[in-house]
Amino acid sequence: MDPTMSNSVSNGFADKIITKEKVGLNPRNGFVLMEGLNKLQPKIVGGDFGYILEDVPHLSDYIPHLPTYTNPLQYNPAYSVVKQYFVDNDDTVAQKIVVHKNSPRGVHFRRAGPRQRVYFKSDEVRACIVTCGGLCPGLNTVIREIVCGLHHMYDVKGVLGIVGGYRGFYSKNTISLTPKFVNDIHKRGGTILGTSRGGHDTKKIVDSIQDRGINQVYIIGGDGTQKGAAVIFEEIRRRGLNVAVAGIPKTIDNDIPVIDKSFGFDTAVEEAQRAINAAHVEATSIENGIGLVKLMGRYSGYIAMYATLASRDVDCCLIPESPFYLEGPGGLFEYIEKRLKENGHMVIVIAEGAGQELLSESLHTTDQQDASGNKLLQDVGQWISQRIKDHFSKRSKMAINLKYIDLMYMIRAVPSNASDNVYCTLVAQSAVHGAMAGYTGFTVGPVNGRHAYIPFHRIIEKQHKVVITDRMWARLLSSTNQPSFLSTKDVIEASKTENNLLNC
């Protein structure tokens, strides 16, 4: 299929009609480059049988006649046993792996990995790394593997760490990062670079990048951070700077779309097991014992759902995506009473973002935001604990003993486990390969088990949430035997949400 033929593709912006009048072809790879617009438009390539490639920007898109160099990996003895050094330029990764016999091939992303030609000389690379937003297991591992990947694979010596998040760019806080300096940091929680929320002054950040002679920027953070990275990339492109911007998505809640999961999530689920086990021990050691565990999950309940499925000791899991109510037939209080009569104990897991609408109505609170623009949540764990106690104190025939465990900051401060360490190594090396190959304005992550380069807009267009009409949530309900707490209206709304996600 000719990529200059008319195509209408839903891609997070308004649908773009790719026509001969609007398209310029990049001579490097024949991919679509939209001209004459203030903002870079998504690069969409059509192919046979409904194939669509949502490509990422490349430095050669806006800087003509860039020289290329032989990839030094082909002389690296560590790679001498590899049958094929480099990823083929046509390799792409399908977004959806389940298809029907006659369904189109659908949306694909460019496969991550080393290329035969690179766009930077090793001794001319001056890279920087910054971590932004909240803490997450694996941050130090990603930092370590970017530094070691640049050094050992591409012989890059100049790597700076930007201290204190985005504002560190213009507050002149940097440290030199070498393999020796980062050797053991993966064994620690947190981030050696420090972090912060907010502080995003695009002009000052790009001025700093330009003044320092930085030509590769690695930005580690969640959806807010990636939005900032997208803006930084746009300003760099507007100035025509030969600077590659690579994003590494970070969210302990696993709420970033497109990618299979985010680093730190496996560690969070594993750590949550300790708290659930403690709650179970407390609950079973006393008559009518209730163990209540609050886990992270501002808008997405993945940690709570997977920790519940892994534990098998949980009787009720409450997440932001699934509305629930307290009183009346089918409500939470009735279910608690039923379980206590049946088993004499109960364990409840609640995500931090669950039940916020009930809490706001009760406390008459107003919406407030943190420096990153996230809504400040009320402590639903403390609130629901008190509501449960108040309810059963009025029923003299059933005295309860409730133990509340808040694991919020303990989870995100621990070092990453083995699974996440492997993940962090792969995602960091993929980012390095992409930047050295001249790709920019991208984020990287696993899609159907293969790492891919994904345009920023696909990562920040929406949040990844639990679909409560999906089979995974049904498995949880079957495991806990809890009611769904859903009204007919809730089911209809959930089905609409799932259909919208499938059509994206």
Side-chain angles (χ1 to χ4, degrees):
M1 178 178 177
D2 186 346
T4 61
M5 296 299 288
S6 178
N7 267 309
S8 177
V9 182
S10 176
N11 49 47
F13 293 97
D15 286 357
K16 306 299 177 187
I17 307 300
I18 301 176
T19 64
K20 291 183 178 179
E21 289 74 27
K22 291 185 179 180
V23 169
L25 290 184
N26 183 343
R28 178 181 62 84
N29 53 23
F31 288 166
V32 175
L33 179 63
M34 311 297 289
E35 302 288 355
L37 298 170
N38 292 329
K39 286 194 174 184
L40 189 69
Q41 301 300 302
K43 293 171 65 176
I44 309 299
V45 180
D48 294 335
F49 310 110
Y51 173 92
I52 297 169
L53 170 63
E54 293 196 15
D55 204 5
V56 296
H58 193 274
L59 292 172
S60 62
D61 291 343
Y62 61 92
I63 305 176
H65 313 302
L66 276 175
T68 64
Y69 312 95
T70 301
N71 193 323
L73 268 180
Q74 70 182 43
Y75 308 115
N76 190 320
Y79 279 74
S80 61
V81 296
V82 180
K83 291 182 179 179
Q84 184 176 346
Y85 286 117
F86 307 114
V87 173
D88 192 283
N89 199 46
D90 291 332
D91 283 359
T92 59
V93 180
Q95 181 177 8
K96 292 183 180 179
I97 198 168
V98 178
V99 296
H100 301 292
K101 181 174 65 174
N102 297 320
S103 61
R105 292 174 63 187
V107 173
H108 291 64
F109 302 104
R110 184 166 292 279
R111 186 182 179 188
R115 265 59 182 177
Q116 286 186 331
R117 308 292 293 178
V118 295
Y119 281 72
F120 295 94
K121 283 185 176 179
S122 297
D123 58 358
E124 294 178 356
V125 172
R126 189 164 175 80
C128 74
I129 306 170
V130 64
T131 54
C132 305
L135 295 181
C136 177
L139 282 169
N140 281 333
T141 308
V142 174
I143 295 168
R144 182 189 189 280
E145 296 310 320
I146 292 174
V147 174
C148 292
L150 284 167
H151 183 93
H152 296 308
M153 294 189 296
Y154 290 99
D155 200 28
V156 170
K157 302 298 193 296
V159 185
L160 288 177
I162 306 298
V163 178
Y166 275 136
R167 62 172 56 93
F169 276 103
Y170 47 86
S171 61
K172 307 299 181 184
N173 295 331
T174 63
I175 55 177
S176 179
L177 298 176
T178 64
K180 183 178 180 179
F181 183 85
V182 302
N183 184 52
D184 293 326
I185 65 173
H186 62 292
K187 300 175 183 178
R188 302 180 231 161
T191 164
I192 61 162
L193 298 180
T195 186
S196 64
R197 296 190 183 277
H200 192 281
D201 188 318
T202 305
K203 183 179 182 302
K204 287 183 178 180
I205 290 172
V206 179
D207 285 347
S208 175
I209 291 170
Q210 196 168 0
D211 293 344
R212 296 175 191 272
I214 292 169
N215 51 19
Q216 290 185 11
V217 182
Y218 298 92
I219 301 174
I220 310 168
D223 56 351
T225 301
Q226 301 304 312
K227 288 176 185 175
V231 176
I232 290 169
F233 160 67
E234 288 287 355
E235 177 62 16
I236 286 173
R237 183 189 67 87
R238 188 188 67 80
R239 298 187 189 187
L241 303 180
N242 186 18
V243 179
V245 180
I248 295 94
K250 174 233 57 165
T251 168
I252 198 170
D253 293 345
N254 199 37
D255 59 359
I256 289 180
V258 181
I259 62 175
D260 297 342
K261 65 179 177 181
S262 51
F263 71 83
F265 176 70
D266 281 352
T267 304
V269 172
E270 183 175 302
E271 198 67 19
Q273 299 302 292
R274 303 176 190 270
I276 292 173
N277 183 60
H280 184 250
V281 170
E282 289 283 353
T284 55
S285 299
I286 195 167
E287 184 181 4
N288 291 333
I290 299 176
L292 176 63
V293 180
K294 185 176 78 170
L295 300 175
M296 300 191 77
R298 179 181 293 272
Y299 302 113
S300 301
Y302 281 101
I303 294 177
M305 180 173 72
Y306 275 78
T308 295
L309 284 167
S311 169
R312 301 295 176 177
D313 286 331
V314 178
D315 299 282
C316 186
C317 177
L318 304 172
I319 62 173
E321 296 90 337
S322 183
F324 65 93
Y325 54 98
L326 301 179
E327 300 178 4
L332 180 62
F333 292 154
E334 181 183 79
Y335 175 60
I336 293 174
E337 184 174 342
K338 176 176 177 287
R339 294 297 282 181
L340 291 178
K341 287 179 179 178
E342 290 173 349
N343 298 334
H345 62 269
M346 183 177 190
V347 175
I348 302 172
V349 167
I350 186 166
E352 60 177 317
Q356 288 293 318
E357 67 286 347
L358 298 176
L359 198 154
S360 296
E361 291 174 7
S362 175
L363 300 181
H364 305 289
T365 55
T366 56
D367 290 347
Q368 294 179 319
Q369 295 182 332
D370 63 18
S372 297
N374 298 313
K375 181 181 178 181
L376 288 175
L377 302 180
Q378 302 295 322
D379 189 342
V380 70
Q382 290 281 11
W383 175 79
I384 202 167
S385 295
Q386 192 59 51
R387 289 297 305 271
I388 293 171
K389 291 176 182 178
D390 291 345
H391 174 79
F392 283 97
S393 67
K394 299 173 185 177
R395 302 175 63 87
S396 57
K397 293 182 180 180
M398 183 174 282
I400 66 165
N401 291 277
L402 189 147
K403 306 297 183 183
Y404 172 50
I405 300 174
D406 186 342
L407 203 64
M408 289 275 294
Y409 296 104
M410 290 182 65
I411 283 182
R412 72 180 199 168
V414 300
S416 51
N417 65 9
S419 173
D420 274 325
N421 274 336
V422 172
Y423 180 114
C424 292
T425 300
L426 296 178
V427 77
Q429 291 187 2
S430 293
V432 168
H433 291 316
M436 289 297 297
Y439 294 108
T440 182
F442 70 88
T443 193
V444 63
V447 180
N448 292 321
R450 290 286 186 271
H451 282 253
Y453 299 135
I454 306 162
F456 276 135
H457 74 267
R458 289 302 307 272
I459 291 294
I460 63 181
E461 64 187 355
K462 62 179 182 295
Q463 286 180 313
H464 185 214
K465 295 186 177 184
V466 174
V467 179
I468 58 173
T469 55
D470 191 24
R471 278 190 293 272
M472 185 59 78
W473 185 244
R475 293 182 183 113
L476 181 139
L477 296 179
S478 176
S479 170
T480 61
N481 291 316
Q482 72 186 69
S484 69
F485 300 114
L486 292 178
S487 64
T488 303
K489 179 182 177 182
D490 293 327
V491 173
I492 293 172
E493 289 299 320
S495 297
K496 288 180 179 178
T497 300
E498 182 177 21
N499 289 332
N500 289 338
L501 290 172
L502 291 173
N503 291 330
C504 287

